[in-house]
Amino acid sequence: MASNRGQGGIQQLLAAEQEAQHIVNAARSAKMARLKQAKEEAEREVAEYRAQVELDFQKKVAASSGDSGANVKRLEQETEAKIHNLKSEASRISHDVVQMLLKHVTTVRN
């Protein structure tokens, strides 16, 4: 009878150990599933953030390249105006410069 009780106690312990093992395995599986889900959510959030940052960057590039086009056009207009001013000044004083050069070239010094 004592051996039956001892045998029953061992069987109970083995059953409890197996149940505990099943609980641990279930908890481990649930933990792994939660980790996998968290990783997938994090990757999705990173992809969304990366897409948003890329979109902002593209907008800034587009805005700055548009500005540079306007800057180039403005600089071209300023350059043309300066060239026109230089040409008009040169044509205005060219006769005087030619006269001064002829005077110095034709004057003989001792």
Side-chain angles (χ1 to χ4, degrees):
M1 200 136 117
S3 87
N4 264 349
R5 232 191 282 173
Q7 193 71 1
I10 291 174
Q11 289 301 324
Q12 258 185 333
L13 285 174
L14 288 174
E17 184 180 352
Q18 284 181 346
E19 187 179 343
Q21 189 63 39
H22 287 300
I23 291 171
V24 167
N25 286 340
R28 211 176 267 147
S29 295
K31 178 182 176 183
M32 293 303 290
R34 282 193 309 267
L35 286 173
K36 184 176 179 183
Q37 181 184 7
K39 181 180 177 186
E40 289 170 355
E41 287 177 11
E43 287 174 349
R44 188 181 74 245
E45 288 177 11
V46 166
E48 289 173 3
Y49 178 74
R50 182 174 287 133
Q52 182 62 38
V53 169
E54 180 66 23
L55 182 64
D56 292 343
F57 174 73
Q58 292 300 330
K59 284 180 182 178
K60 287 181 181 179
V61 167
S64 68
S65 67
D67 288 346
S68 70
N71 287 338
V72 167
K73 191 169 188 168
R74 180 183 53 82
L75 288 174
E76 285 176 351
Q77 290 173 346
E78 288 176 5
T79 303
E80 288 298 322
K82 287 179 181 179
I83 290 172
H84 179 71
N85 287 340
L86 288 173
K87 284 183 178 180
S88 64
E89 281 295 310
S91 66
R92 185 178 65 82
I93 63 171
S94 66
H95 180 69
D96 293 335
V97 171
V98 168
Q99 291 302 317
M100 184 177 53
L101 286 173
L102 283 175
K103 178 183 165 196
H104 286 290
V105 169
T106 57
T107 305
V108 179
R109 289 189 183 190
N110 289 340

